[in-house]
Amino acid sequence: MRSARLSRLVSLGPAAVRWAEAHEAEILRTGLPLDAKMQAVARAVGVRQPERVRLAVVARIPLPEDPDLRQAALSLGMLGPETIGLTLGHGIYVRKRPVSTRLLSHECRHVYQYEQAGSIAAFLADYLQQIATVGYLHAPLEVDARAHEIERL
Ligand SMILES: [Zn+2]
């Protein structure tokens, strides 16, 4: 069961990377830069290049068009109607403004994780493996992001 889920998710990896890279590019093209206070939040959670981060405010976080990928994202709890933020490299989708410091710090910690991984592909390889083995809630990269949430600077 566990290994079937893992191999299914690993097989979706390349499609997930393509989707994430395309959406990061879209956010970097259309999103807003962080203001000084937001950059301070990003720096506080370890982001090395806060000036590269862009925020795109969207009515709904986009779901993958690929039906298998979309189904996997929904069933594993990575994306859904309640999702309020999603980080793809230096691009962050948020559902509404103003963005709370708590949400911003959580998503910026994912930016830090992408920076440490070095690429979207490297980050997603770890992230998807964690989701497939221990689940979204207990994935170490999510635990780390929650541990770095800041209520206010
Ligand atoms: Zn998260």
Side-chain angles (χ1 to χ4, degrees):
M1 175 71 182
R2 186 171 272 191
S3 65
R5 190 165 71 167
L6 179 57
S7 60
R8 180 163 145 262
L9 206 56
V10 167
S11 75
L12 290 171
V17 171
R18 280 195 301 275
W19 183 83
E21 288 176 345
H23 282 271
E24 184 204 31
E26 174 73 10
I27 299 169
L28 296 185
R29 199 167 58 77
T30 62
L32 303 164
L34 302 184
D35 65 23
K37 193 176 171 208
M38 290 171 139
Q39 287 198 24
V41 172
R43 242 177 247 111
V45 298
V47 174
R48 281 179 301 177
Q49 297 184 286
E51 69 285 351
R52 279 193 63 199
V53 177
R54 293 292 181 277
L55 271 179
V57 183
V58 290
R60 299 189 65 171
I61 308 288
L63 285 169
E65 301 76 20
D66 179 313
D68 291 338
L69 190 57
R70 183 169 59 225
Q71 185 51 41
L74 289 168
S75 66
L76 293 167
M78 286 184 282
L79 291 173
E82 317 81 36
T83 306
I84 55 172
L86 176 69
T87 298
L88 303 164
H90 283 84
I92 302 174
Y93 280 123
V94 289
R95 289 255 310 269
K96 62 180 178 187
R97 295 174 77 192
V99 181
S100 71
T101 300
R102 184 174 171 185
L103 177 61
L104 181 67
S105 58
H106 180 105
E107 299 305 329
C108 281
R109 185 63 180 180
H110 286 311
V111 173
Y112 161 84
Q113 293 167 351
Y114 277 100
E115 287 181 338
Q116 294 301 302
S119 68
I120 283 180
F123 172 84
L124 283 181
D126 288 345
Y127 189 74
L128 294 178
Q129 166 127 12
Q130 291 178 10
I131 301 278
T133 49
V134 296
Y136 176 79
L137 198 60
H138 300 292
L141 288 164
E142 282 302 334
V143 172
D144 176 73
R146 289 200 302 275
H148 285 82
E149 288 176 1
I150 299 170
E151 289 299 327
R152 59 178 61 207
L153 266 194

